[in-house]
Amino acid sequence: GNPALRPINMQLVIGGSPSFPLVLTTAPTAAYSQNLTQSGVMSIRFSGAGFITRTVPAVNLSWNTIVNVTLPNGDADGSGEVDAADIDDIIARFGQITGGGTYTVAADCDGSGEIDAADIDIAIAEFGQVND
């Protein structure tokens, strides 16, 4: 699907205090880049509608730092856990076209623009994942 429909938030966590989220615009490959003025060692938290939040600890951020992170998908209800409620939510929205708000976008796990069986499959595959 189109990753631009599912923006990712990035927060720098310095001394336990998160910064305001920066919205990352993803490329068709789901890669991103962000120019930052901050440098030094910090954690970086990634989140987005339908994704499980992941924090990459102790990143030495400099002008050319590359951070790889995979966000588990399938948290359709935004609870921070992929569970039976997410599968129920996707089934309840089955056939809807993406664009009806945050929860519709979150239930479209594959970003295809429609909530369908592939989205149920993704939630089942990620079942049990929780925010860190």
Side-chain angles (χ1 to χ4, degrees), residues 84-115:
D86 298 302
I87 296 168
D88 291 344
D89 188 63
I90 294 167
I91 291 169
R93 297 173 192 282
F94 199 86
Q96 290 183 7
I97 303 301
T98 302
T102 301
Y103 291 111
T104 304
V105 170
D108 181 17
C109 300
D110 65 356
S112 67
E114 181 179 3
I115 300 169

Side-chain angles (χ1 to χ4, degrees), residues 8-90:
I8 300 299
N9 298 312
M10 179 181 83
Q11 289 180 295
L12 303 177
V13 182
I14 304 167
S17 299
S19 66
F20 291 104
L22 302 165
V23 178
L24 302 175
T25 303
T26 52
T29 61
Y32 65 88
S33 66
Q34 181 70 41
N35 292 323
L36 301 170
T37 58
Q38 296 85 347
S39 63
V41 177
M42 62 195 72
S43 297
I44 305 176
R45 181 177 299 145
F46 297 89
S47 62
F51 293 103
I52 295 298
T53 299
R54 289 292 181 249
T55 302
V56 180
V59 175
N60 189 1
L61 197 60
S62 64
W63 69 274
N64 64 347
T65 302
I66 296 173
V67 177
N68 293 311
V69 63
T70 299
L71 301 182
N73 201 346
D75 185 18
D77 65 1
S79 68
E81 179 179 8
V82 181
D83 56 16
D86 298 302
I87 296 168
D88 291 344
D89 188 63
I90 294 167

